[in-house]
Short mmCIF file of all heavy atoms in Angstrom, two decimals:
data_model
loop_
_atom_site.label_atom_id
_atom_site.label_comp_id
_atom_site.label_asym_id
_atom_site.label_seq_id
_atom_site.Cartn_x
_atom_site.Cartn_y
_atom_site.Cartn_z
N ILE A 1 16.96 7.33 -9.50
CA ILE A 1 17.52 8.51 -8.83
C ILE A 1 17.56 8.25 -7.33
O ILE A 1 16.54 7.94 -6.70
CB ILE A 1 16.65 9.74 -9.13
CG1 ILE A 1 16.59 10.01 -10.65
CG2 ILE A 1 17.18 10.95 -8.38
CD1 ILE A 1 15.54 11.02 -11.04
N ARG A 2 18.75 8.35 -6.75
CA ARG A 2 18.91 8.16 -5.31
C ARG A 2 18.38 9.37 -4.55
O ARG A 2 18.76 10.52 -4.83
CB ARG A 2 20.37 7.91 -4.93
CG ARG A 2 20.62 7.88 -3.45
CD ARG A 2 22.09 7.71 -3.08
NE ARG A 2 22.44 6.31 -2.93
CZ ARG A 2 22.28 5.62 -1.79
NH1 ARG A 2 21.70 6.20 -0.76
NH2 ARG A 2 22.66 4.36 -1.72
N THR A 3 17.51 9.13 -3.56
CA THR A 3 17.04 10.20 -2.68
C THR A 3 17.14 9.70 -1.24
O THR A 3 17.42 8.53 -0.99
CB THR A 3 15.56 10.57 -2.94
OG1 THR A 3 14.70 9.53 -2.45
CG2 THR A 3 15.32 10.75 -4.44
N GLU A 4 16.86 10.60 -0.28
CA GLU A 4 16.96 10.20 1.13
C GLU A 4 15.90 9.17 1.51
O GLU A 4 16.06 8.44 2.51
CB GLU A 4 16.83 11.43 2.00
CG GLU A 4 15.52 12.18 1.84
CD GLU A 4 15.45 13.47 2.62
OE1 GLU A 4 16.47 13.90 3.12
OE2 GLU A 4 14.32 14.01 2.74
N LYS A 5 14.80 9.10 0.75
CA LYS A 5 13.71 8.20 1.10
C LYS A 5 13.70 6.90 0.29
O LYS A 5 12.94 5.98 0.60
CB LYS A 5 12.37 8.91 0.94
CG LYS A 5 12.15 10.04 1.92
CD LYS A 5 10.76 10.62 1.77
CE LYS A 5 10.46 11.69 2.81
NZ LYS A 5 9.10 12.22 2.69
N GLY A 6 14.48 6.84 -0.77
CA GLY A 6 14.48 5.66 -1.62
C GLY A 6 14.89 6.01 -3.03
O GLY A 6 15.18 7.18 -3.37
N TRP A 7 14.95 4.99 -3.88
CA TRP A 7 15.26 5.18 -5.28
C TRP A 7 13.99 5.53 -6.04
O TRP A 7 12.99 4.81 -5.96
CB TRP A 7 15.85 3.89 -5.86
CG TRP A 7 17.18 3.50 -5.33
CD1 TRP A 7 17.46 2.58 -4.36
CD2 TRP A 7 18.44 4.03 -5.73
NE1 TRP A 7 18.81 2.50 -4.15
CE2 TRP A 7 19.45 3.39 -4.98
CE3 TRP A 7 18.83 4.97 -6.70
CZ2 TRP A 7 20.81 3.66 -5.13
CZ3 TRP A 7 20.19 5.26 -6.84
CH2 TRP A 7 21.16 4.61 -6.07
N ILE A 8 14.03 6.66 -6.75
CA ILE A 8 12.90 7.07 -7.56
C ILE A 8 13.10 6.50 -8.99
O ILE A 8 14.12 6.71 -9.62
CB ILE A 8 12.77 8.60 -7.66
CG1 ILE A 8 12.51 9.19 -6.26
CG2 ILE A 8 11.64 8.98 -8.62
CD1 ILE A 8 11.20 8.79 -5.65
N HIS A 9 12.08 5.79 -9.45
CA HIS A 9 12.10 5.19 -10.79
C HIS A 9 11.08 5.89 -11.68
O HIS A 9 9.96 6.13 -11.26
CB HIS A 9 11.75 3.70 -10.72
CG HIS A 9 12.70 2.86 -9.93
ND1 HIS A 9 13.60 2.00 -10.48
CD2 HIS A 9 12.90 2.79 -8.58
CE1 HIS A 9 14.30 1.39 -9.53
NE2 HIS A 9 13.90 1.88 -8.35
N ILE A 10 11.51 6.20 -12.92
CA ILE A 10 10.62 6.78 -13.90
C ILE A 10 10.56 5.79 -15.04
O ILE A 10 11.54 5.58 -15.79
CB ILE A 10 11.12 8.15 -14.36
CG1 ILE A 10 11.27 9.08 -13.14
CG2 ILE A 10 10.15 8.76 -15.36
CD1 ILE A 10 11.93 10.42 -13.46
N ALA A 11 9.43 5.12 -15.20
CA ALA A 11 9.30 3.97 -16.08
C ALA A 11 8.16 4.21 -17.10
O ALA A 11 7.56 5.27 -17.15
CB ALA A 11 8.99 2.72 -15.25
N HIS A 12 7.89 3.18 -17.92
CA HIS A 12 6.75 3.29 -18.82
C HIS A 12 5.79 2.13 -18.61
O HIS A 12 6.18 1.02 -18.25
CB HIS A 12 7.20 3.35 -20.27
CG HIS A 12 7.73 2.07 -20.83
ND1 HIS A 12 9.08 1.74 -20.80
CD2 HIS A 12 7.12 1.02 -21.42
CE1 HIS A 12 9.25 0.55 -21.37
NE2 HIS A 12 8.07 0.09 -21.72
N GLY A 13 4.52 2.43 -18.85
CA GLY A 13 3.49 1.42 -18.76
C GLY A 13 2.68 1.41 -20.06
O GLY A 13 2.55 2.44 -20.72
N VAL A 14 2.15 0.25 -20.40
CA VAL A 14 1.45 0.06 -21.67
C VAL A 14 0.11 -0.63 -21.44
O VAL A 14 0.04 -1.61 -20.70
CB VAL A 14 2.28 -0.76 -22.68
CG1 VAL A 14 1.61 -0.79 -24.05
CG2 VAL A 14 3.70 -0.24 -22.76
N ARG A 15 -0.93 -0.12 -22.08
CA ARG A 15 -2.21 -0.81 -22.04
C ARG A 15 -2.79 -0.88 -23.44
O ARG A 15 -2.41 -0.13 -24.35
CB ARG A 15 -3.22 -0.08 -21.13
CG ARG A 15 -3.70 1.27 -21.63
CD ARG A 15 -4.69 1.85 -20.64
NE ARG A 15 -5.16 3.19 -20.97
CZ ARG A 15 -6.25 3.44 -21.70
NH1 ARG A 15 -6.99 2.45 -22.19
NH2 ARG A 15 -6.63 4.68 -21.95
N ASN A 16 -3.68 -1.85 -23.64
CA ASN A 16 -4.33 -1.97 -24.93
C ASN A 16 -5.53 -1.04 -25.00
O ASN A 16 -6.22 -0.80 -24.02
CB ASN A 16 -4.85 -3.41 -25.11
CG ASN A 16 -3.69 -4.37 -25.41
OD1 ASN A 16 -3.01 -4.22 -26.41
ND2 ASN A 16 -3.50 -5.36 -24.53
N THR A 17 -5.77 -0.48 -26.17
CA THR A 17 -6.98 0.29 -26.46
C THR A 17 -7.52 -0.15 -27.81
O THR A 17 -6.88 -0.88 -28.57
CB THR A 17 -6.66 1.81 -26.53
OG1 THR A 17 -6.00 2.10 -27.77
CG2 THR A 17 -5.78 2.25 -25.37
N ALA A 18 -8.72 0.36 -28.14
CA ALA A 18 -9.30 0.01 -29.45
C ALA A 18 -8.45 0.56 -30.58
O ALA A 18 -8.56 0.08 -31.71
CB ALA A 18 -10.73 0.56 -29.50
N ALA A 19 -7.65 1.60 -30.28
CA ALA A 19 -6.78 2.21 -31.30
C ALA A 19 -5.36 1.67 -31.29
O ALA A 19 -4.50 2.21 -31.97
CB ALA A 19 -6.78 3.72 -31.13
N GLY A 20 -5.11 0.65 -30.45
CA GLY A 20 -3.78 0.11 -30.34
C GLY A 20 -3.18 0.34 -28.97
O GLY A 20 -3.87 0.78 -28.05
N LEU A 21 -1.90 0.10 -28.83
CA LEU A 21 -1.26 0.25 -27.55
C LEU A 21 -1.04 1.72 -27.19
O LEU A 21 -0.76 2.56 -28.01
CB LEU A 21 0.13 -0.42 -27.57
CG LEU A 21 0.15 -1.94 -27.78
CD1 LEU A 21 1.60 -2.45 -27.87
CD2 LEU A 21 -0.58 -2.65 -26.66
N ARG A 22 -1.23 2.04 -25.90
CA ARG A 22 -1.03 3.36 -25.39
C ARG A 22 0.08 3.32 -24.34
O ARG A 22 0.01 2.60 -23.33
CB ARG A 22 -2.27 3.95 -24.75
CG ARG A 22 -2.10 5.41 -24.26
CD ARG A 22 -3.42 5.97 -23.76
NE ARG A 22 -3.33 7.43 -23.58
CZ ARG A 22 -3.34 8.05 -22.41
NH1 ARG A 22 -3.41 7.34 -21.29
NH2 ARG A 22 -3.26 9.37 -22.34
N TYR A 23 1.16 4.08 -24.61
CA TYR A 23 2.31 4.12 -23.71
C TYR A 23 2.24 5.39 -22.87
O TYR A 23 2.01 6.51 -23.39
CB TYR A 23 3.63 4.19 -24.50
CG TYR A 23 4.12 2.85 -25.04
CD1 TYR A 23 3.45 2.19 -26.04
CD2 TYR A 23 5.29 2.29 -24.54
CE1 TYR A 23 3.92 0.97 -26.55
CE2 TYR A 23 5.77 1.09 -25.05
CZ TYR A 23 5.09 0.44 -26.03
OH TYR A 23 5.56 -0.74 -26.54
N VAL A 24 2.49 5.26 -21.56
CA VAL A 24 2.58 6.41 -20.68
C VAL A 24 3.79 6.25 -19.78
O VAL A 24 4.40 5.17 -19.69
CB VAL A 24 1.30 6.58 -19.79
CG1 VAL A 24 0.07 6.76 -20.67
CG2 VAL A 24 1.14 5.36 -18.85
N VAL A 25 4.17 7.34 -19.11
CA VAL A 25 5.27 7.35 -18.17
C VAL A 25 4.71 7.35 -16.76
O VAL A 25 3.77 8.10 -16.46
CB VAL A 25 6.18 8.56 -18.39
CG1 VAL A 25 7.24 8.67 -17.30
CG2 VAL A 25 6.85 8.44 -19.77
N TYR A 26 5.23 6.50 -15.86
CA TYR A 26 4.79 6.50 -14.48
C TYR A 26 6.01 6.40 -13.56
O TYR A 26 7.15 6.26 -14.01
CB TYR A 26 3.80 5.35 -14.22
CG TYR A 26 4.40 3.97 -14.11
CD1 TYR A 26 4.54 3.35 -12.87
CD2 TYR A 26 4.79 3.26 -15.24
CE1 TYR A 26 5.06 2.07 -12.77
CE2 TYR A 26 5.29 1.97 -15.15
CZ TYR A 26 5.45 1.37 -13.91
OH TYR A 26 5.97 0.12 -13.81
N ALA A 27 5.78 6.54 -12.26
CA ALA A 27 6.86 6.57 -11.30
C ALA A 27 6.58 5.66 -10.13
O ALA A 27 5.41 5.37 -9.79
CB ALA A 27 7.11 8.01 -10.80
N PHE A 28 7.64 5.17 -9.49
CA PHE A 28 7.52 4.41 -8.25
C PHE A 28 8.85 4.53 -7.50
O PHE A 28 9.82 5.07 -8.03
CB PHE A 28 7.14 2.97 -8.50
CG PHE A 28 8.15 2.15 -9.30
CD1 PHE A 28 9.09 1.35 -8.67
CD2 PHE A 28 8.13 2.18 -10.71
CE1 PHE A 28 10.01 0.60 -9.40
CE2 PHE A 28 9.03 1.42 -11.43
CZ PHE A 28 9.96 0.65 -10.78
N ALA A 29 8.89 4.02 -6.29
CA ALA A 29 10.11 4.09 -5.49
C ALA A 29 10.45 2.71 -4.94
O ALA A 29 9.56 1.91 -4.64
CB ALA A 29 9.93 5.07 -4.32
N THR A 30 11.76 2.46 -4.82
CA THR A 30 12.22 1.24 -4.19
C THR A 30 13.14 1.54 -3.02
O THR A 30 13.64 2.67 -2.88
CB THR A 30 12.97 0.33 -5.19
OG1 THR A 30 14.10 1.02 -5.74
CG2 THR A 30 12.04 -0.11 -6.32
N ASP A 31 13.36 0.56 -2.19
CA ASP A 31 14.10 0.72 -0.97
C ASP A 31 15.59 1.01 -1.25
O ASP A 31 16.18 0.42 -2.18
CB ASP A 31 13.99 -0.58 -0.16
CG ASP A 31 14.63 -0.44 1.24
OD1 ASP A 31 14.05 0.23 2.10
OD2 ASP A 31 15.73 -0.97 1.41
N LEU A 32 16.21 1.87 -0.47
CA LEU A 32 17.61 2.22 -0.68
C LEU A 32 18.53 1.01 -0.52
O LEU A 32 19.47 0.83 -1.29
CB LEU A 32 18.05 3.33 0.30
CG LEU A 32 17.64 4.77 -0.06
CD1 LEU A 32 18.11 5.71 1.04
CD2 LEU A 32 18.20 5.19 -1.40
N LYS A 33 18.26 0.17 0.48
CA LYS A 33 19.14 -0.97 0.72
C LYS A 33 18.76 -2.17 -0.15
O LYS A 33 19.63 -2.99 -0.45
CB LYS A 33 19.06 -1.34 2.21
CG LYS A 33 19.64 -0.30 3.14
CD LYS A 33 19.61 -0.74 4.57
CE LYS A 33 20.23 0.31 5.52
NZ LYS A 33 20.17 -0.09 6.93
N ASP A 34 17.51 -2.28 -0.53
CA ASP A 34 17.04 -3.36 -1.40
C ASP A 34 16.30 -2.77 -2.57
O ASP A 34 15.09 -2.60 -2.56
CB ASP A 34 16.13 -4.32 -0.60
CG ASP A 34 15.63 -5.47 -1.45
OD1 ASP A 34 16.05 -5.57 -2.62
OD2 ASP A 34 14.80 -6.26 -0.94
N PRO A 35 17.02 -2.42 -3.63
CA PRO A 35 16.40 -1.74 -4.78
C PRO A 35 15.37 -2.56 -5.52
O PRO A 35 14.69 -2.04 -6.42
CB PRO A 35 17.60 -1.43 -5.70
CG PRO A 35 18.79 -1.51 -4.84
CD PRO A 35 18.49 -2.55 -3.81
#
């Protein structure tokens, strides 16, 4: 998502647990000129 401060990314992350993989959603931002 383009914003005035940078590109907002909504992604997923995965970690191992004793019950198997756990997927969550996380966010980060990248530079407007260098995504």
Side-chain angles (χ1 to χ4, degrees):
I1 300 168
R2 173 183 267 277
T3 74
E4 60 184 13
K5 293 185 177 181
W7 293 99
I8 298 294
H9 298 253
I10 304 172
H12 72 268
V14 188
R15 69 178 177 93
N16 287 299
T17 75
L21 296 177
R22 183 175 194 250
Y23 280 69
V24 300
V25 172
Y26 76 104
F28 63 96
T30 59
D31 186 76
L32 281 178
K33 294 182 179 179
D34 180 4

